[in-house]
Amino acid sequence: MVSLKKLSEKEELLAPGHRLCAGCGASIIVRQVLLAAEDPVVIANATGCLEVATTIYPYTAWRVPWIHSAFENAAATIAGVETMYQVKKRKGEITRDIKFLAFGGDGGTYDIGIQALSGALERGHDILYICYNNGAYMNTGIQRSSATPKGASTTTSPAGKVIPGKRRFPKDLTAIVAAHNIPYCGQTSPSFYNDLIGKVQKALSAEGPTFLNIISPCPRGWRHETDQSIAMAEEAVTCCFWPLYEVENGEWRLTGYSKQIAEGKKEKTSVIDWMRKQGRFRHLFTDARKPFLDSIQEEVEREWENLKKRCGY
Amino acid sequence: MKEKGWKECLWGGLIVDAGNSVLYKTGDWRSQKPIRDEKKCTDCLQCWIMCPDAAIKVKDGKVVGIDYDYCKGCGICSKVCPFDAIEMKEEGEQ
Amino acid sequence: MIQALSGNTAVAYAMKQVNPDVVAVYPITPQTVAMERFADYVADGDVDTELIMADSEHSAMSCCIGASLAGGRVMTSTASAGLALMWEVLYVAASNRCPIVMNVMNRALSAPINIHCDHSDAMGARDSSWIQIHAENVQEAYDNIIQAVRIAEHENVRLPVMTNMDGFTLSHATERLETLDDQQVQKFIGKFKAIYPLLDVDNPVTYGPLDLYDYYFEHKRQQVEAMELAYDVVKRIGQEYGKVTGRSFDMLHPFEMDDAEIAVLALGSTSGTARVAVRAMRQKGVKVGLVKLRVFRPFPKDGLKEMLKGMKAVAVMDRSDSYGAFGGPVFSEVRSALLGEDVEVVNYIYGLGGRDIRQDQVEQVITDMSTVAKTGKVKSYVNYLGVR
Ligand code: SF4
Ligand code: SF4
């Protein structure tokens, strides 16, 4: 368990005055991540909401060394920074420990950045890549990504008379990352800050590439009130749409609330109830689309059962 | 900030004044204002860890106020407070 | 030391002597062998370099940017499609003022796919704010790399440098060349000076912010200035290199230009072919000279004007085309540099996809220029040389 009192003594490394929307999950995640880090960090950021809103020239919200290069290359960029660090450390030009982080949204991670990410993971750089996953290209006006949930209406997968929003399930990026056999990866949610901070600390203490996929509520794209962000990122976990788990040296493990569900200690909530609270799914709640809606619940069930099996349940 | 010419600014958009975003006050985005009831507050810091804008001011492990210069009025703090110590009020009404 | 090296091995050797902190690269013909040789140096512990074998050229350049801004010396190498894939991040490297040195073995762009030399790759990157140096032979390719490190890192410049050499024609040709000792190279390039490095965690900096209409233009204007200042730096470093090696370099290298009435302008290995042709035509009494354009960026507009004014006709050899434009990229620039001068400038586009350029073809070009000089008439300003 983390002590919030202790954490609150740390310096805020993401300064206020950034221009992320009210209630944005991304800055909650970044704050929690930076509070978790014990060593100094250097950050690479993919193009996206977080990058744009925190560094509108001549202002920056970052109190740590930070670089944005392009959309698809946050993993390659931080890999370059980390490699230079390794050389300087080997030569004795730097002696202190520094950690290397990358932040990318789901567009910059699942889609355009997956090659650079995969390459960096395979090469074994000592980095932590964090995907703040809000399930669409929110920065450019809510276009679908390969992380967009089935059924969500986005500006490029709009719910029409015939097509009920996005027709495909998101790809399972965390499992794809796990298949790189890196020391540590997992999924978490800012609503469970204990889980999130614990995982960041584990990732940063591991040697080699690590990855966290963090669900990041977006009031604008998900279409919910700004005060609902934490509730939405919580219910995503309790309904098993976004289970909390980690894969450590090949061992799959449910964590926190998800573990408790698997062990029968907590109630699993309904995916459809979670969806009902978000405007992006509103069009699905008609009699005609009931079968489609049911197929989503079924798919989430199936994935959850698969994950449980992998975790030894 | 006064707009500088090309000879006066650092190259490539480099910013060396880390965290100078504090000069940009986002408080005026707010339409709802969080008001904390000190008597109900137990300093559990749930609001602090969940605030997207680092606007819950904490000192020595205790909430000492809300930074209205930056608070965007999202209402998350009010929702996550287990003790109903934060109430959202229309901006302007007290 | 005198060695017989191919273009690829000479590049690897120069890089070994530079001993950069980080090299990030991706294999592509015809520069793969350079990277293989460099990987051998790394494997044998002959360099201190960390070598990143990236997942693409885009990632390779992105790694270079990260590594460079972290605060150290960075090099890479590519060709053709690889350079094209880097296109987006070439601009990022330049605007963030990363002093990266990149060897480019010039090769045609697809489609159809072709692995041989032309300059479409480099010319595609001409507006990216990279300094561009072109080598005539393997010796120059070697020399250019060592000078490039100094040029890129010069505090007045601080721009990335692309050292070009013709794919296969030079990359796979073995030549006799003179190399410096490792210590001489180290002495010449000096120690890398980091400016605002990311690894200085006590002084955190932000690179690459969102820069809108209120400042973007100013930041671009700074790059214009850096290019302006580069003229002098390239020249001075070329002279300094001459003091060490006996081989001095400038932006433009004239040959037989003193009393010339007509001229041929070329870059890359074709300058060698053209030199032989000029010599042959001189024996026939034609007052022709050659201008080798060694540095394409920054474009030596003033020097060129000085050198070519008074010519009756100038043939500009372009090993790439700019489809739909009035002539190839070198032609357009030479012609606009000569604005106001009474010089006929004629373009010859040649050698696309590795098509050979022969001495007799350049001699024909010279003969054509003589006719232009005599008649004052140009039949066609843009000509395709050696196409069926
Ligand atoms: S309303 Fe939102 S921004 Fe304001 S203090 Fe509460 S959580 Fe922070
Ligand atoms: S969440 Fe409520 S009780 Fe806890 S510190 Fe904040 S205001 Fe006080």
Side-chain angles (χ1 to χ4, degrees), chain B residues 34 51-53 55-56 66 71-77 88:
Chain B
C51 172
D53 291 279
I56 306 286
I66 293 172
C71 165
K72 293 170 187 160
C74 66
I76 287 176
C77 52
M88 298 304 289

Side-chain angles (χ1 to χ4, degrees), chain A residues 57-59, chain B residues 1-10 20 23, chain C residues 214-215 218-219:
Chain A
Y57 191 86
Y59 300 105
Chain B
M1 266 192 208
K2 186 186 163 289
E3 290 185 347
K4 291 178 176 165
W6 65 268
K7 287 181 186 164
E8 298 148 340
C9 41
L10 289 169
N20 66 354
L23 299 172
Chain C
D214 53 350
Y215 274 103
E218 278 66 35
H219 294 130

Side-chain angles (χ1 to χ4, degrees), chain A residues 40-43 51-52 55-60 62-73 76-81 83-88 90-91 93-94 96 98 100 115-116 118-120 122-123 125, chain C residues 19 21-22 48-56 58-59 62-74 88-89 92 96 191-192 198-212 214-215 219:
Chain A
V41 298
V42 178
I43 292 174
E51 167 263 329
V52 161
T55 61
I56 301 179
Y57 191 86
Y59 300 105
T60 180
W62 299 90
R63 292 182 177 133
V64 296
W66 182 95
I67 172 172
H68 159 252
S69 167
F71 198 1
E72 67 279 58
N73 66 358
T77 306
I78 201 67
V81 179
T83 305
M84 185 57 79
Y85 167 74
Q86 300 297 353
V87 180
K88 303 241 160 198
R90 173 156 49 76
K91 289 183 174 174
E93 292 170 25
I94 290 183
R96 61 204 285 193
I98 302 176
F100 298 90
Q115 175 179 333
S118 176
E122 185 273 334
R123 291 190 303 269
H125 298 280
Chain C
N19 194 9
D21 295 307
V22 173
D48 302 312
T49 311
E50 278 290 330
L51 178 61
I52 305 176
M53 291 310 305
D55 46 89
S56 71
H58 193 286
S59 288
S62 301
C63 287
C64 286
I65 293 168
S68 180
L69 296 177
R73 195 167 267 155
V74 178
E88 177 194 26
V89 273
V92 177
N96 282 306
K191 256 183 94 72
F192 182 87
L198 282 168
L199 291 177
D200 181 1
V201 288
D202 297 324
N203 295 290
V205 290
T206 287
Y207 275 103
L210 175 69
D211 202 18
L212 298 172
D214 53 350
Y215 274 103
H219 294 130

